[in-house]
Amino acid sequence: MGPFRLPWGTFASFLVVAGSVLLAVLWAVLSRDNESHGAPH
Amino acid sequence: MSPTAVHGLVLGVYLLLLAGIGVVTSRRLRSSEDFLLGGRRVGPWVTALSYVAAYFSSVVIIGGGAFGYQYGMATLWVGAINVLIGCTLAWIVLGRRLRRFTARLGTMTVPGFLGERFGSREVRIFSAVVIALFLVVYNVSILKGMGHVFEVLMGLPYSVGVMLSGAMIVLYVSLGGYMAVVWTGFFQAWVMGAGLILLAVAALRAVGGLSEATATLAAADPGLVYTPGIWGWAGLISYSMIVSFGVWGMPQLLVRFYSIRSVRQLRIGAVVATVGGSLALLPYLIGAVSRALVPGLENADLAIPVLTKMVLSPWGSAIFLAGVIAAGMSTFASVLIITSGAVVRDFVQKGLGREMTEQRSIRWSRIVSLLVGLISLLIALRPPALVLVLTAFSWSAIASTCLWPILFGVFSRRATRAGVFASMLGGLTTALVWIGLGSPLGVHGFLPGIGVSLILLLGVSLVTRPPSSLLIDRAWGRAGVETRRHFE
């Protein structure tokens, strides 16, 4: 059993969703920085 | 007030609101770009949430619940992969490039992009015909799903449910075009989210929490709790790929990237679409929890409707019913506008070379939306197969035809028009033959379809002459930075 008495597989699926949100936020921040520095797209 | 009266009242108010959006947006139509893309002026919140609403139809909610009931907690992975590949990566990998390429090429539809990008009228016409034909099949599956929801939750005859929802969508799409589709989609995403969260919370409270639900399921069968459990890796991976990677070739979702106001807005859109897309976990979670609460159902498709009646008040179940209907209607409306664009813009105007004024083009787009909607409605009254069978069939056919040409269209300068045409023809034929043979080895036609499509695109492109530098410069925008600035 993983955290919160959930099986590791179920817990990991929640982690994938949290990771996706983090990835989208990181991409949004990094691509804004690239644009403000005039990097080619 | 009786439960039926509550359901009728909530749905009546909801349908009136949708009709209102159709009427308001119809006043802003000036050109065919307004009708098909909302004039490329749509903001990130509306674009992203209408993407989520178009992605998750009522089929996903009811069918996803059935999968959760049947296979347990492992199905949460389908929702998680939907979020990662179908939402986050689709926006990051495809969004920016598709927005830029379609603006530079001045195209409004997926067949239009493929035709202009590869300089081929045949590619445009072929993809338009495949999209129009198989999206009608998808339309039928959505209407069939909604008909069953009305039947089970409200006790209305199936045909009345189909006619009521179908007629309302056809009305607001033919009136307001794309703007009506995205604004109703935006509104419907909130209703859908509220309905799903309400049911998930009520179900978890009824069972005593997620840990308790897990323990109950493990006691019944440990395979319902562990990954991949009783489903097995083959089923879990192939299904997840169809409903996640498959959307990269689905025009009703890709068109959201064409229509967003600017490339910069895609950043906000990616975050909103990912957070909104996280709702995808809920149907599977609710389905699995319902197995702990109402074991022994003969038909897993009834898991969510039965649970709704069991744990929600009449007002709560009315909101959930509206959410399911919202999910179906938003997808149907998105599909309708794409079909209309494929027929009028790509087949009649560009394919057959019929000149039209902007007003005439809008009028014909409205008429075609109306006709395609009515045809889908008539077929849905006597549907030929199960909902999920129809959905998987149409998705496989369209994704096998369009997925690689779109990806290579925005990433490769070496892909040739012959390679793309061979890829589309080979991918479609393989998917259809594979499904026709009864999906050998338990593998769905989508996987061999996209496999053959990729091999043909690479192979034929390598042995044919590379595209002209003019075609490449036009797509990649080397002609001048001004072009890019103008569109952003």
Side-chain angles (χ1 to χ4, degrees), chain B residues 96-367:
Chain B
R96 190 198 303 243
R97 282 179 181 257
L98 265 179
R99 176 64 177 82
R100 286 197 172 128
F101 277 62
T102 56
R104 280 188 205 120
L105 296 170
T107 57
M108 298 182 221
T109 59
V110 168
F113 164 69
L114 293 172
E116 293 293 324
R117 168 63 188 82
F118 295 105
S120 166
R121 203 169 73 139
E122 291 75 21
V123 164
R124 184 174 199 148
I125 295 176
F126 184 74
S127 53
V129 170
V130 170
I131 286 169
L133 208 62
F134 287 96
L135 281 186
V136 170
V137 178
Y138 186 35
N139 267 348
V140 172
S141 74
I142 299 165
L143 278 176
K144 189 172 189 292
M146 285 196 285
H148 286 315
V149 170
F150 272 103
E151 197 177 20
V152 175
L153 287 182
M154 279 189 76
L156 284 174
Y158 167 81
S159 55
V160 175
V162 167
M163 303 254 281
L164 192 66
S165 42
M168 182 54 70
I169 305 164
V170 171
L171 174 77
Y172 72 70
V173 172
S174 53
L175 274 178
Y178 185 77
M179 273 309 213
V181 171
V182 286
W183 274 103
T184 50
F186 172 75
F187 171 64
Q188 284 160 330
W190 289 102
V191 178
M192 194 171 88
L196 278 170
I197 291 169
L198 200 68
L199 183 59
V201 170
L204 285 171
R205 280 182 64 182
V207 78
L210 192 53
S211 306
E212 197 57 43
T214 308
T216 311
L217 289 174
D221 182 348
L224 289 170
V225 166
Y226 294 103
T227 304
I230 54 175
W231 202 0
W233 286 114
L236 180 60
I237 292 171
S238 65
Y239 183 77
S240 299
M241 287 308 284
I242 295 171
V243 294
S244 299
F245 193 43
V247 306
W248 290 34
M250 296 305 286
Q252 76 273 20
L253 298 172
L254 299 179
V255 76
R256 299 296 191 278
F257 303 134
Y258 293 27
S259 67
I260 197 162
R261 196 182 301 140
S262 72
V263 170
R264 291 184 181 88
Q265 307 280 327
L266 282 163
R267 290 196 306 259
I268 305 166
V271 178
V272 176
T274 305
V275 174
S278 305
L279 287 174
L281 280 181
L282 294 181
Y284 302 100
L285 177 68
I286 294 167
V289 170
S290 69
R291 176 90 177 230
L293 284 168
V294 275
L297 283 179
E298 278 186 18
N299 182 358
D301 276 335
L302 295 177
I304 285 197
V306 168
L307 185 74
T308 307
K309 277 188 176 171
M310 186 179 169
V311 298
L312 289 179
S313 66
W315 285 100
S317 67
I319 291 172
F320 180 74
L321 173 67
V324 176
I325 300 297
M329 290 178 98
S330 54
T331 308
F332 185 97
S334 302
V335 167
L336 210 54
I337 198 90
I338 293 296
T339 319
S340 161
V343 172
V344 177
R345 182 87 189 162
D346 297 304
F347 189 72
V348 177
Q349 283 183 272
K350 299 290 178 179
L352 302 179
R354 298 280 166 84
E355 294 288 332
M356 280 188 200
T357 62
E358 288 297 312
Q359 286 310 311
R360 197 173 159 83
S361 173
I362 294 176
R363 192 162 63 244
W364 273 104
S365 298
R366 281 183 162 143
I367 293 170

